Structure formats: structure tokens, C-alpha cells
């Protein structure tokens, strides 16, 4: 222990040992001590020396520390010291002061070398993963920090070891669920390093429910208002989603895009944004862009764009776009994000076209953004973002292209001048004095014409008023005029890109361009001159424009036919020289940069030369123009003949396609008719089957009636039988009348009985009101009420039984009436041919029908009276129930009063006993007690 006191700074006599000697002695003590306390103290001492003597501790103690991790796992304190010591040795984060004195490279090499030593044995990393599983804070936290440092130093190697380790990634995912924020936050940093550039680990982490946990943490921390923990979670989400199509699809299918909407709900008061909030929101916008990046597969991007529209995320981004007080870098990134959310998605593009800025009067968001793009006082990055947004709005959006071009056409221009249109802003930027505005406006207008021949022809109608008193000139003519004036290189490059896009694949535009006699000499003069490197780009674009004028020439102008233009190139420039100048475009460094991605990203305005879509056009046309220049007139004629033949073949194929399409439509219609006719046939067959069964039933009924009427009625010979039958019917009618009279009498009797019961009920009610006079009257009224209620119940039961019998009799009478009607209808055809007796029978039948109708009305009246009787019985039943409740309540009150009387009697008996006892005592004491004397008087 004296040795340890010396190490820890205690007083000691004699020379002080060096750091290396002390570390060597501590290592020997760790290796040789049998007591756990001694080893723990030695490891603690190594930890305190590991920052100052990093190299010595790393070389001498690493093996011993690993051995401690393997053998002393039961003691969390020594494990924690060992892990902290290894972290100090391997990590470069603690070497800021040393980096000022020594070279940073040496420090980085030291950490990397110690990491290689540690991970050389893969069991060490597996052991560390096992320790990270421990819940003890003093073990888990140092383990997380050490593993993070290992991944920083040797990421790919450590990632591979963790990947092959059983449940390695799953163990680390448990860190996100730790209730201690320090461990959870460092766990996020660990997963950041673990998921860098490793798609396999990214997929495992994503399917271990990482998205759910990270989004929960972001929500708990306050979304964009949260601290650095939100930033770390967003960086981890970017690692998981960027360039990982599987995770992007999983993120979309898990409905996690909907949970991103609250991130962008900024308040109306946008002043005083903290630096952390700006960083968080910037990362959130970048995360949205990762999901809809143009480099993703088109299907995945499209589905994410639709999900963002349906959940309201696009609407929220447009709100930020039009808000005031938003920092410039957030506004720029928001514009870029909106651009990629709407790019190539018709629904999102239509919504963006409908967004208005909160101004008076309201203006479309596109117009407001274009005003920023052509304003030279706006920041350069913001103007680039607006240009990208406009390009994405027009990408594969012919409807939007038509709306932009229509604002330039004479028939749609606002004559009042109250509002500024997008076309006017583009023309204003195209001819302004700012070269960057010229370039941006030219590229934007070129995107409005991209792959749309109809709009290229319509744009030829645009006329511009250059100055007062001069006639208007066409937009095409004005562009060539500015080119010939020798403006800045950036302006000329922009105009040449616009003209190349305009003339490509549009023979009418080529004819208009060649109709100006000054254009071709200007182009040949620019190409033939030997200019500096800056002008080589303009020469290449002039060669491209001249080549487009040859390739898409329809030979409608005699002086500028294809052959004459080729001869002009041969004489003035030379074919080889022309092809060389044409190659200047694709060989330029800025061309290669622009071809990489759609977003215009330039370090400075001077580097803004090429557009991404234009590079595609150059790549497509460079080869065909080179071939067209070297073709002879005969080859051109053959090619034209081949084109005409192909056109004829195309027309024939188109005709046959049309015929086949019409036949397909006819076939579909016939199939539909067949299906409808089949269904109708099935319905008709079912109807026929049903009707056949009904006919059979009618036949059976007819045969049954014939049997009932008897055999004599079939020959129509016996008129007396008919009269007898009618006589039977009249007898039955008379019987029915008698029975009805009986029922009427019974009904009157029942009504009388009901009146008597009502009077009894009224008497009971009056008797119950008088029940509270005395106890004796209560008892008598109780017994009387019970007797009356019992009698009422019996009488009600009798009435119910009588009503049931009456209902049964009425139903029986109805059945007999129906039978009589059936017999009458069956007898009608048999009696139709019997002359005078038939007339008498018809009169009897009429009388019978009238009497039957009367019987029906009487039966109906009886049934109604029966219903009213039922209602009266129900009301009397409810009245009896109320009386029974009152009686039961009275019985309870009587019982309570009897109980109270019994209690009083008991008390009086006790009193009498006490009085007699007191009298006896007084007699014993010799006091004379009279018979009427009570206890109170004796005491007095």
C-alpha cells in the first residue's frame, strides 16, 4: 500500500520513479495480486495515469486490462476502471491539448494502432458486446464509449466483427430503450458509427424497430426545438435511409412519413431562431430530400412523394416557404426540398401551382420565387435554389409548361398591367444587365420548352417591344440580336443553350432561325475564329446550334438547304475543325460537373455555365450531328427516302393499330352484350320456373275446390242443389249474426265489469288517503286493500281469459268468412249459364257479399274494442300494482309501529321492576311507602 500511496501522490522519501516504471509496477501488481482490492486499486491508478502516459499504458497494460475484463466480471467497479482506461488509451477525443504540441497525425496513428491491437482478437469485441449488455451504469456506459471509439478508429473491421457476432446488433439496439439518458444518447452516437457505409447493418438496425424508437426520442425532445440529441437522432436516420432502397421502402410502408409532419409546424413568430433549431430543421429537410432524391428508383421516389402530399407534409413545407422571418439557409433548403418533393409528380406540381403568397393582392408562389431569381441582390445560393424549384416544377409537366408559355403569348397577356406574370419575369431576366439573371432566365425558359414541340412552335408567336417607335421583334430574333452584340460569356452561353433547346426536334423553329440572313454568317464567323479558352465554350455551342440547324432542316428555304450549309462549313470552317469545336462542350470541366446531378450546385456564379438537362441534349445530338456533317447529298437523299418509307410504314402500322384498337373495342362491347344477355336469360329462366310452379299450385287449388264442391256441380244439371248450397250459406250467415250478437252482449258485460272495477279502484284510492288517522284504521285498511287487490287480480285473470277466448272466436269467424268467399268464387263459373235461377243466385251472392262485408266491419270493430279493453286492463293492472306498492309500504310502517310499541312495553316492564325493587329497599330501611308512591317522590 505504501507503493500505491506513492503512485497516487503521497509523500515519499528518496528519488521519484519514472512514469514508465510506475506503470510497469502497477501492471505487475494487476497481474500478480491475489486480492481483488489490490487489483482494483492498481487498475484505478492506471486509469489516472492513462491520459498523461497514454503510450506507456497502452503498450504495457492493455493485455492485463483485457485479462481483468475476462476474469473479474463479478466486480463492476474494477470492470468500469478497466474500460475507462482502455477508452483513454484508444480514443483521440481527449488529445486536444496534446494535438497543439504534437502533430495530429501522430495522435490519430496512435489511436488507430491501439485499436488494431485490441480488435486483433475478435473475442475482445465479443467480450465488449457482452459487457455492454450489463445494466450496471459503471459498466455499460464506459463499454458504450469504448465501442464507439473503436468504430471511429477502425470502422469497417469492427462492423464486420459485430455483424458476424450472434445477436451483436440486437444487443446494441437495446441501448435506445435505456431509461438513463446518458447511455441512451451515447447509444445513438454508437449506432451512428456502426451504420456508416454498411447496408447490411443498416437493414438489421431498421428492422430492429429503430425508426419507431428514434422518432419517439425526437418527439420527446421537442422536435425541431430539441437539443443536440435530436441532431444525433436525425444523423442516425440519414445513415439508415441514404442510398438504402430497402430501408426507404420500409420507412414509407411503416407510415413513418406521416410522423415527420409535426417537425415543420413552425409558429407565426419566427424571430430569434436558435442555432440548434436551425441545425435540427436543416437536417430534417435533408432527411425529406433523402426519401425523394432524384437518384432513388423512380417508383420509390414517386410513392414517397404521394405519401408526403396525402399526409400534408408538402403543404407544411409550402407554409414555411411563404412564411416571413425564416433564416436564409433554412429558406434555401426548404426551396430545394419542395423542389424534389414535386419533381415529376403531377399531383404535387398541380398543388404547388395553386399555392399563393400571403400578399395583397395574392400572387402565385411561382411568381414570387421567380422575382427572387431575377433579383441580383438576392443571395446566390437562394437564386440557384429557386431555379432548381422552377426546373422541378416543369419536369415532365406539360400542363405547367403550357401555363408558363401562355403568359408570354399575346392573347393571354394582362393588358391592365396590374399583375406580373411568370413569362414577363423570365423575359425581363433574359434581357437584363445582370449576366446571372440572363443565364437563369434562359435556362428556365428552356425547361418550359423541354420535349414539347407544340410549345416551341407557339413561342415563335411571342413579340417584344424593344423601344418606343420601333416595330416589335420576335423573341427568337431578340435572342440572336443579343448574341451578336457580344455580351458576357455567361449571357451568351445561356442564350445559346436556350436556342439549341428551342430548335432541336422542331423544323419550323429552324426555318424561322435560318430566315434571318444574319444568323448563319454570325455562327460560322464565331466558329472559324481562333479565340482564347474562355471563348472556346461559346464556339462549341455555336457549332452545336449550326449542327441542329442542319440536322433538323426540312429544306424549305432554298438558300439554306442541308447541302448548302454543309458546303458552307466545308469552305469556311472545315469539317474536322467543326467537329473539334463541337467537342469543346463535352470536354469542359463544368460540363462534367453539371452532368452529375439535376440540382444546380456551383461554388461561385462564374462557374454557372451548364444545365443538367442540356448536358443530356448534347450527349444525344453530338454523335448524330457529326454523322450528318460527313454525309453526302446522295446519302441525305437516301436517308430522306428511308425516312419517308419509314413514315409510310409508321402510318400503315398506325392505321392497323387503330383498326385493331377499334376491333378490340367492338369485341369488348360484344362480350359485355353477351354477358348481359346471359344474365337476362338466366333471370327469365328463373321467372319461367317460378311461374310454372305457381301454375301448378293454382291447378292443385282448382282441383281441390272441385272436389269440395262435389261431383254434381260439374254437369250443371241441379238448380235445386245450387239453391240448397246458397241456403246453407244464408244459414251460416244467420248463425254468424247470432254469434256476433252474443259477442256484443259479452262485450257490454265486460265493459260493465270494467266500470265496477274502476269504481272499486277509486274507493281503494280514497280509503288509502284515510289510512293515516290511527293505527287501528291502518290495519283495517291494510287488510281491506289486500282483499280488494286479490279480488281485482282474480277478476283481471278472468277478463284476460275471456278476451283470449273472444280473440280465438273472432279468428275462427274470419277463417269461416274466407272459406265462404272461396266457395263463392268457385261457384261463380258454374252458375254462369243457368238463366233465371242464375240471376237469383247472383242476387243471393251480392247480398251474401254485402253481409260478409258488414261482418268484416263488425269483426274489425270488435278487434278495435278488444285492443281498447286490453289497454284498459293494462291501466287497471298498473293501478293495482301501485296500490300493492302503497299497501306494502303501509305494512312496513305498521310493522315498525308495532316494533316501537313492543320496545315501549319492555321499557315499562323494566321500570316497574326497578320501582318495586326500590320500594322493597325503602321498606327494609323502615320508610313507609304508600301504594301510589313512585320512585321520584320517595327520593324527594
Amino acid at each position: 500500500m505504501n507503493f500505491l500511496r506513492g503512485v497516487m501522490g503521497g509523500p515519499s522519501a528518496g528519488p521519484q520513479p519514472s512514469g514508465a516504471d510506475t506503470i510497469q509496477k502497477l501492471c505487475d501488481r494487476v497481474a500478480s495480486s491475489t486480492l481483488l482490492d489490490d487489483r482494483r486499486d492498481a487498475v484505478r491508478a492506471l486509469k489516472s495515469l492513462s491520459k498523461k502516459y497514454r503510450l506507456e499504458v497502452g503498450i504495457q497494460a492493455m493485455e492485463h486490462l483485457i485479462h481483468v475484463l475476462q476474469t473479474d466480471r463479478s466486480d463492476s467497479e474494477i470492470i468500469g476502471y478497466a474500460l475507462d482506461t482502455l477508452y483513454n488509451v484508444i480514443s483521440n477525443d481527449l488529445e486536444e491539448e496534446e494535438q497543439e504540441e504534437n502533430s495530429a497525425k501522430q495522435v490519430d496513428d496512435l489511436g488507430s494502432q491501439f485499436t488494431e491491437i485490441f480488435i486483433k482478437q475478435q473475442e475482445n469485441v465479443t467480450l465488449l458486446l457482452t459487457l455492454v449488455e450489463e445494466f450496471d451504469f459503471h459498466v455499460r456506459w464506459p463499454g458504450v464509449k469504448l465501442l464507439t471509439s473503436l468504430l471511429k478508429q477502425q470502422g469497417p473491421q469492427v462492423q464486420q466483427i459485430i455483424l458476424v457476432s450472434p445477436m451483436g446488433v440486437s444487443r446494441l439496439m437495446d441501448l435506445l430503450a435505456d431509461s438513463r439518458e446518458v447511455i441512451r444518447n451515447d447509444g445513438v452516437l454508437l449506432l451512428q458509427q456502426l451504420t456508416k457505409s454498411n447496408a447490411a447493418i443498416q437493414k438489421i438496425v431498421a428492422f430492429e424497430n429503430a425508426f419507431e424508437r428514434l422518432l419517439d426520442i425526437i418527439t420527446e425532445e421537442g422536435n425541431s426545438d430539441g437539443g443536440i440529441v435530436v441532431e444525433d437522432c436525425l444523423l442516425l436516420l440519414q445513415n439508415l435511409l441514404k442510398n438504402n432502397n430497402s430501408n426507404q421502402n420500409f420507412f414509407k410502408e411503416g407510415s413513418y412519413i406521416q410522423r415527420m409532419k409535426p417537425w415543420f409546424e413552425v409558429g407565426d413568430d419566427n424571430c430569434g431562431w436558435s442555432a440548434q433549431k436551425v441545425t435540427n430543421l436543416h437536417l430534417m429537410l435533408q432527411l425529406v430530400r433523402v426519401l425523394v432524391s432524384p437518384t432513388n428508383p423512380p417508383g420509390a421516389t414517386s410513392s414517397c412523394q404521394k405519401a408526403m402530399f396525402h399526409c400534408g407534409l408538402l403543404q407544411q413545407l409550402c407554409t414555411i416557404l411563404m412564411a416571413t422571418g425564416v433564416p436564409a439557409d433554412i429558406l434555401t433548403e426548404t426551396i430545394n426540398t419542395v423542389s424534389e418533393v414535386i419533381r415529376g409528380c403531377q399531383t404535387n406540381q398541380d398543388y404547388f401551382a395553386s399555392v399563393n403568397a400571403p400578399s395583397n393582392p395574392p400572387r402565385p408562389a411561382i411568381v414570387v420565387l421567380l422575382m427572387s431569381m431575377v433579383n441580383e441582390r438576392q443571395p446566390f445560393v437562394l437564386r440557384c435554389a429557386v431555379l432548381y424549384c422552377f426546373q422541378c416544377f416543369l419536369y415532365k409537366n406539360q400542363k405547367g409548361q403550357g401555363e408558363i408559355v401562355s403568359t408570354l403569348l399575346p392573347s393571354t397577356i394582362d393588358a391592365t398591367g396590374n399583375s406580373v406574370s411568370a413569362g414577363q419575369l423570365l423575359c425581363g431576366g433574359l434581357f437584363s444587365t445582370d449576366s446571372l439573371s440572363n443565364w437563369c432566365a434562359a435556362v428556365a425558359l428552356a425547361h418550359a420548352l423541354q420535349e414539347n414541340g407544340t410549345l416551341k412552335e407557339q413561342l415563335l408567336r411571342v413579340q417584344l417591344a424593344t423601344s418606343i417607335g420601333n416595330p416589335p421583334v420576335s423573341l427568337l430574333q431578340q435572342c440572336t440580336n443579343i448574341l451578336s452584340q457580344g455580351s458576357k460569356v455567361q449571357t451568351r452561353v445561356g442564350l445559346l443553350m436556350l436556342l439549341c433547346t428551342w430548335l432541336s426536334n422542331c423544323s419550323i423553329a429552324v426555318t424561322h432561325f435560318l430566315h434571318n440572313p444574319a444568323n448563319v454568317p454570325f455562327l460560322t464567323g464565331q466558329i472559324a475564329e481562333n479565340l482564347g479558352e474562355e471563348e472556346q465554350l461559346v464556339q462549341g455551342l455555336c457549332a452545336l446550334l449550326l449542327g441542329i440547324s442542319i440536322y433538323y432542316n426540312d429544306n424549305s428555304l432554298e438558300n439554306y438547304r442541308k447541302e448548302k450549309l454543309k458546303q458552307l462549313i466545308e469552305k469556311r470552317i472545315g469539317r474536322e475543325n467543326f467537329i473539334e469545336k463541337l467537342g469543346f462542350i463535352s470536354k469542359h470541366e463544368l460540363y462534367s460537373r453539371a452532368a452529375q446531378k439535376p440540382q444546380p450546385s456551383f461554388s461561385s456564379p462564374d462557374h454557372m455555365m451548364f444545365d443538367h438537362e442540356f448536358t443530356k441534349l448534347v450527349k444525344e445530338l453530338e454523335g448524330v450531328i457529326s454523322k450528318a456533317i460527313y454525309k453526302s447529298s446522295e446519302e441525305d437523299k437516301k436517308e430522306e427516302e428511308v425516312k419517308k418509307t419509314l413514315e409510310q410504314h409508321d402510318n400503315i402500322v398506325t392505321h392497323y393499330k387503330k383498326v385493331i384498337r377499334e376491333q378490340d373495342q367492338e369485341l369488348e362491347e360484344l362480350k359485355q352484350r353477351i354477358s348481359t344477355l346471359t344474365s337476362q336469360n338466366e333471370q327469365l329462366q328463373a321467372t319461367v320456373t317460378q311461374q310454372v310452379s305457381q301454375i301448378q299450385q293454382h291447378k292443385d287449388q282448382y282441383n281441390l275446390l272441385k272436389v269440395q264442391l262435389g261431383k254434381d256441380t260439374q254437369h250443371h244439371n241441379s238448380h235445386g242443389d245450387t239453391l240448397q248450397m246458397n241456403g246453407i250459406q244464408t244459414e251460416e250467415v244467420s248463425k254468424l249474426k247470432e254469434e256476433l250478437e252474443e259477442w256484443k252482449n259479452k262485450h257490454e258485460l265486460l265493459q260493465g265489469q270494467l266500470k265496477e272495477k274502476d269504481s272499486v279502484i277509486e274507493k281503494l284510492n280514497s280509503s288509502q288517503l284515510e289510512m293515516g288517522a290511527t293505527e287501528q284504521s291502518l290495519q283495517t285498511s291494510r287488510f281491506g286493500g289486500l282483499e280488494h287487490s286479490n279480488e281485482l287480480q282474480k277478476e283481471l285473470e278472468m277478463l284476460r281469459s275471456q278476451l283470449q277466448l273472444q280473440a280465438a272466436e273472432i279468428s275462427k269467424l274470419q277463417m269461416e268468412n274466407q272459406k265462404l268467399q272461396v266457395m263463392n268464387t268457385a261457384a261463380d263459373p258454374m252458375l254462369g249459364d243457368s238463366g233465371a235461377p242464375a240471376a237469383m243466385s247472383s242476387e243471393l251472392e251480392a247480398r251474401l257479399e254485402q253481409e260478409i262485408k258488414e261482418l268484416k266491419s263488425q269483426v274489425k270493430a270488435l278487434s278495435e274494442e278488444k285492443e281498447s279493453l286490453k289497454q284498459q286492463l293494462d291501466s287497471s293492472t298498473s293501478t293495482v300494482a301501485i296500490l300493492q306498492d302503497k299497501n306494502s309500504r303501509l305494512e312496513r310502517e305498521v310493522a315498525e309501529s308495532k316494533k316501537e310499541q313492543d320496545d315501549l312495553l319492555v321499557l315499562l316492564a323494566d321500570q316497574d321492576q326497578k320501582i318495586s325493587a326500590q320500594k322493597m329497599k325503602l321498606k327494609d330501611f323502615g320508610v313507609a311507602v304508600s301504594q301510589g308512591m313512585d320512585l321520584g317522590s320517595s327520593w324527594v
Side-chain angles (χ1 to χ4, degrees):
M1 297 302 293
N2 292 331
F3 167 74
L4 288 176
R5 281 195 295 271
V7 172
M8 300 303 291
S12 61
Q16 295 290 332
S18 64
D21 294 339
T22 304
I23 292 167
Q24 181 62 44
K25 291 178 181 179
L26 290 171
C27 291
D28 293 340
R29 195 164 187 84
V30 171
S32 60
S33 295
T34 57
L35 292 176
L36 180 61
D37 292 339
D38 290 347
R39 292 198 303 275
R40 187 190 302 120
D41 293 339
V43 174
R44 186 191 295 119
L46 286 172
K47 174 189 172 184
S48 63
L49 295 172
S50 59
K51 293 181 181 179
K52 186 175 182 180
Y53 299 101
R54 180 184 177 191
L55 178 62
E56 291 80 0
V57 172
I59 293 173
Q60 299 181 37
M62 182 176 287
E63 184 178 354
H64 300 293
L65 294 172
I66 294 171
H67 183 70
V68 167
L69 295 178
Q70 294 171 346
T71 57
D72 291 329
R73 289 186 55 185
S74 60
D75 185 69
S76 61
E77 192 173 357
I78 192 173
I79 294 294
Y81 292 148
L83 291 171
D84 284 334
T85 307
L86 288 171
Y87 173 73
N88 293 340
V89 168
I90 291 174
S91 175
N92 291 327
D93 298 338
L94 305 172
E95 296 295 330
E96 296 178 358
E97 296 180 359
E98 286 77 356
Q99 284 184 17
E100 296 176 359
E101 300 173 1
N102 305 320
S103 65
K105 184 178 178 181
Q106 181 180 358
V107 172
D108 291 341
D109 290 343
L110 193 59
S112 179
Q113 289 171 6
F114 283 136
T115 303
E116 284 187 20
I117 295 171
F118 185 84
I119 66 173
K120 193 172 184 180
Q121 299 293 329
Q122 294 188 6
E123 294 80 6
N124 295 339
V125 180
T126 307
L127 174 64
L128 190 55
L129 289 173
T130 307
L131 293 172
V132 168
E133 279 189 295
E134 296 288 338
F135 187 74
D136 193 309
F137 181 81
H138 297 92
V139 176
R140 196 171 205 181
W141 187 39
V144 170
K145 291 194 296 181
L146 177 57
L147 192 55
T148 305
S149 182
L150 293 174
L151 285 164
K152 286 181 180 179
Q153 300 295 336
Q154 297 289 339
Q157 292 87 337
V158 180
Q159 284 174 344
Q160 192 61 31
I161 296 171
I162 295 174
L163 190 60
V164 300
S165 176
M167 299 294 291
V169 179
S170 300
R171 295 176 188 176
L172 300 179
M173 284 300 300
D174 293 337
L175 297 172
L176 295 181
D178 200 305
S179 59
R180 295 161 293 192
E181 289 190 3
V182 176
I183 295 178
R184 184 199 68 183
N185 298 342
D186 282 350
V188 173
L189 297 175
L190 170 60
L191 290 172
Q192 277 185 27
Q193 299 298 325
L194 181 65
T195 54
K196 276 186 178 179
S197 306
N198 194 309
I201 293 179
Q202 290 169 2
K203 291 179 182 178
I204 296 172
V205 171
F207 282 94
E208 288 284 345
N209 207 22
F211 294 138
E212 184 77 28
R213 296 182 184 180
L214 291 172
L215 292 174
D216 287 342
I217 294 172
I218 292 173
T219 304
E220 290 170 6
E221 295 292 327
N223 294 328
S224 59
D225 294 322
I228 196 170
V229 178
V230 173
E231 178 182 350
D232 294 336
C233 291
L234 292 170
L235 290 171
L236 177 54
L237 285 171
Q238 282 193 16
N239 285 354
L240 295 175
L241 292 172
K242 196 168 187 178
N243 300 324
N244 194 317
N245 300 328
S246 174
N247 283 2
Q248 290 175 6
N249 186 55
F250 181 68
F251 190 85
K252 178 185 71 68
E253 295 296 334
S255 300
Y256 296 119
I257 291 177
Q258 287 81 340
R259 296 188 60 181
M260 299 170 71
K261 182 188 174 185
W263 295 355
F264 306 102
E265 292 177 354
V266 296
D268 296 332
D269 186 13
N270 292 322
C271 59
W273 288 43
S274 64
Q276 187 61 56
K277 182 174 181 177
V278 171
T279 304
N280 291 344
L281 203 55
H282 199 273
L283 290 172
M284 290 171 177
L285 292 168
Q286 286 182 349
L287 192 62
V288 176
R289 294 185 64 186
V290 165
L291 295 170
V292 293
S293 173
T295 58
N296 294 342
T301 300
S302 177
S303 60
C304 289
Q305 288 172 333
K306 291 176 182 177
M308 291 177 183
F309 174 76
H310 290 304
C311 74
L313 180 58
L314 175 59
Q315 293 85 330
Q316 204 67 46
L317 292 173
C318 290
T319 303
I320 298 176
L321 195 67
M322 294 293 106
T324 56
V326 180
D329 51 348
I330 294 297
L331 182 60
T332 302
E333 191 63 23
T334 304
I335 295 172
N336 288 328
T337 306
V338 171
S339 305
E340 294 183 353
V341 172
I342 67 173
R343 187 176 188 269
C345 182
Q346 187 66 50
T347 305
N348 294 4
Q349 289 167 339
D350 292 342
Y351 171 76
F352 184 70
S354 66
V355 174
N356 288 325
S359 59
N360 192 15
R363 288 178 176 173
I366 298 173
V367 173
V368 176
L369 291 175
L370 288 177
M371 292 172 70
S372 300
M373 186 185 75
V374 298
N375 187 354
E376 56 185 309
R377 288 176 292 183
Q378 293 292 338
F380 171 65
V381 290
L382 180 63
R383 298 174 74 181
C384 290
V386 173
L387 175 61
Y388 183 46
C389 185
F390 191 73
Q391 291 174 350
C392 291
F393 170 68
L394 297 178
Y395 182 71
K396 294 183 179 179
N397 183 11
Q398 292 190 355
K399 179 183 176 182
Q401 290 175 325
E403 290 173 353
I404 297 298
V405 172
S406 66
T407 58
L408 287 166
L409 300 178
S411 59
T412 57
I413 295 176
D414 187 7
T416 60
N418 292 331
S419 60
V420 180
S421 66
Q424 292 171 344
L425 288 171
L426 290 176
C427 283
L430 196 62
F431 307 122
S432 70
T433 56
D434 179 31
S435 61
L436 185 59
S437 297
N438 301 151
W439 190 91
C440 291
V443 170
L445 198 55
H447 276 264
L449 304 175
Q450 200 80 33
E451 299 178 359
N452 199 324
T454 305
L455 295 181
K456 291 177 182 179
E457 296 176 7
Q458 290 184 2
L459 201 63
L460 296 170
R461 297 165 45 203
V462 177
Q463 300 289 321
L464 302 175
T466 55
S467 59
I468 300 174
N470 293 329
V473 297
S474 67
L475 177 61
L476 184 66
Q477 182 63 42
Q478 184 65 16
C479 291
T480 55
N481 291 342
I482 295 174
L483 271 177
S484 61
Q485 291 172 5
S487 53
K488 292 182 180 180
V489 174
Q490 192 175 38
T491 301
R492 284 182 288 163
V493 168
L495 291 171
L496 285 168
M497 285 195 298
L498 171 60
L499 291 173
C500 289
T501 305
W502 194 348
L503 269 60
S504 64
N505 205 18
C506 185
S507 301
I508 298 175
V510 171
T511 303
H512 278 73
F513 179 76
L514 295 176
H515 194 269
N516 186 352
N519 288 341
V520 173
F522 169 74
L523 292 178
T524 54
Q526 288 287 319
I527 300 168
E529 290 183 8
N530 292 321
L531 303 173
E533 292 183 1
E534 293 182 356
E535 295 293 331
Q536 285 182 354
L537 191 55
V538 177
Q539 287 182 318
L541 291 170
C542 288
L544 179 65
L545 183 58
L546 186 57
I548 290 171
S549 302
I550 295 172
Y551 185 73
Y552 292 105
N553 193 342
D554 59 357
N555 294 327
S556 58
L557 295 176
E558 184 63 29
N559 294 331
Y560 295 105
R561 296 173 64 85
K562 286 185 179 181
E563 189 59 32
K564 290 187 177 181
L565 290 175
K566 289 180 186 178
Q567 292 174 1
L568 184 64
I569 290 173
E570 181 70 25
K571 291 178 182 179
R572 297 279 183 90
I573 305 168
R575 292 180 180 178
E576 290 78 9
N577 191 21
F578 179 85
I579 299 300
E580 182 184 359
K581 297 293 177 69
L582 184 62
F584 284 164
I585 302 174
S586 57
K587 293 177 183 177
H588 203 280
E589 180 184 1
L590 297 177
Y591 174 89
S592 302
R593 290 183 186 176
Q596 291 176 1
K597 57 181 180 178
Q599 182 182 1
S601 56
F602 305 99
S603 57
S604 66
D606 296 335
H607 293 162
M608 211 168 184
M609 289 295 176
F610 285 107
D611 173 57
H612 177 75
E613 293 297 326
F614 181 74
T615 60
K616 294 181 180 179
L617 181 67
V618 172
K619 192 175 182 180
E620 177 186 348
L621 294 178
E622 187 176 5
V624 296
I625 290 174
S626 300
K627 291 180 181 178
I629 295 298
Y630 282 102
K631 284 181 182 177
S632 61
S633 58
E634 295 178 355
E635 291 176 346
D636 285 337
K637 289 179 181 178
K638 289 180 180 178
E639 186 176 350
E640 288 179 1
E641 291 177 357
V642 170
K643 284 184 178 179
K644 289 180 181 178
T645 307
L646 289 174
E647 288 178 359
Q648 292 176 358
H649 285 299
D650 290 340
N651 292 332
I652 294 170
V653 170
T654 305
H655 174 69
Y656 280 117
K657 284 182 178 179
K658 185 178 180 181
V659 172
I660 291 169
R661 196 177 296 111
E662 291 175 354
Q663 290 177 349
D664 287 339
Q665 291 178 356
E666 291 177 359
L667 281 173
E668 288 296 328
E669 291 175 358
L670 290 172
K671 286 180 181 179
Q672 290 178 359
R673 287 181 62 188
I674 289 170
S675 62
T676 53
L677 289 172
T678 304
S679 61
Q680 289 177 2
N681 186 21
E682 291 175 354
Q683 291 176 0
L684 290 172
Q685 286 180 354
T687 306
V688 168
T689 306
Q690 187 177 0
Q691 289 178 354
V692 168
S693 64
Q694 289 178 357
I695 290 168
Q696 186 63 37
Q697 290 177 1
H698 290 311
K699 284 182 179 179
D700 295 339
Q701 292 175 0
Y702 176 72
N703 293 329
L704 183 61
L705 288 172
K706 284 173 69 177
V707 171
Q708 289 177 351
L709 291 172
K711 296 180 181 180
D712 296 335
T713 56
Q714 296 177 358
H715 303 287
H716 308 285
N717 295 326
S718 177
H719 173 62
D721 293 339
T722 304
L723 293 175
Q724 186 180 3
M725 183 182 67
N726 290 329
I728 292 168
Q729 290 178 354
T730 54
E731 289 176 359
E732 290 177 353
V733 169
S734 62
K735 287 181 181 179
L736 288 172
K737 287 182 177 179
E738 291 174 357
E739 289 177 357
L740 282 173
E741 290 295 332
E742 292 176 1
W743 284 115
K744 285 181 180 178
N745 295 330
K746 290 181 180 179
H747 178 63
E748 291 174 356
L749 289 172
L750 288 171
Q751 284 184 342
Q753 291 175 358
L754 280 173
K755 288 179 180 178
E756 291 176 359
K757 300 303 179 269
D758 290 336
S759 63
V760 172
I761 289 168
E762 290 175 356
K763 289 178 182 179
L764 284 172
N765 287 330
S766 60
S767 63
Q768 283 179 351
L769 292 171
E770 297 171 358
M771 282 180 183
T774 61
E775 183 177 348
Q776 186 65 30
S777 62
L778 279 172
Q779 291 178 353
T780 55
S781 63
R782 178 171 61 87
F783 291 116
L786 287 173
E787 291 173 359
H788 285 297
S789 63
N790 292 330
E791 292 175 0
L792 279 173
Q793 286 181 353
K794 291 178 181 179
E795 291 174 357
L796 285 171
E797 292 295 332
M798 291 173 63
L799 287 172
R800 285 174 183 168
S801 61
Q802 289 176 3
L803 281 173
Q804 289 176 358
L805 292 172
Q806 185 180 10
E809 291 292 335
I810 289 170
S811 62
K812 184 177 178 181
L813 288 171
Q814 290 176 350
M815 292 290 291
E816 290 177 357
N817 287 332
Q818 290 177 1
K819 287 181 180 180
L820 288 172
Q821 288 176 357
V822 171
M823 292 172 69
N824 285 330
T825 55
D828 285 341
M830 298 176 188
L831 300 173
D833 300 331
S834 59
M840 291 174 64
S841 64
S842 62
E843 290 178 2
L844 289 172
E845 287 174 2
R847 287 168 57 192
L848 183 61
E849 287 178 358
Q850 186 175 359
E851 290 177 354
I852 288 169
K853 288 180 180 177
E854 291 176 357
L855 287 171
K856 284 183 179 179
S857 60
Q858 291 175 0
V859 169
K860 186 177 180 181
L862 284 172
S863 62
E864 291 176 354
E865 290 178 358
K866 175 188 168 186
E867 292 296 329
S868 63
L869 284 172
K870 284 184 179 179
Q871 292 177 358
Q872 291 175 3
L873 284 171
D874 292 337
S875 62
S876 64
T877 305
S878 61
T879 306
V880 169
I882 293 168
L883 288 173
Q884 287 178 350
D885 291 338
K886 289 182 178 179
N887 287 333
S888 61
R889 189 165 60 251
L890 289 170
E891 287 175 359
R892 287 196 299 270
E893 291 177 356
V894 169
E896 289 176 358
S897 62
K898 284 179 70 178
K899 187 178 178 182
E900 290 176 357
Q901 286 179 358
D902 293 338
D903 292 340
L904 286 172
L905 289 172
V906 172
L907 289 172
L908 288 172
D910 291 341
Q911 186 99 13
D912 289 338
Q913 289 178 1
K914 289 179 181 179
I915 289 170
S916 60
Q918 293 292 334
K919 285 180 178 181
M920 293 298 293
K921 287 182 180 180
L922 289 171
K923 286 179 182 180
D924 292 338
F925 287 117
V927 179
V929 179
S930 62
Q931 291 292 332
M933 187 178 178
D934 58 358
L935 181 63
S937 60
S938 66
W939 280 107
V940 174

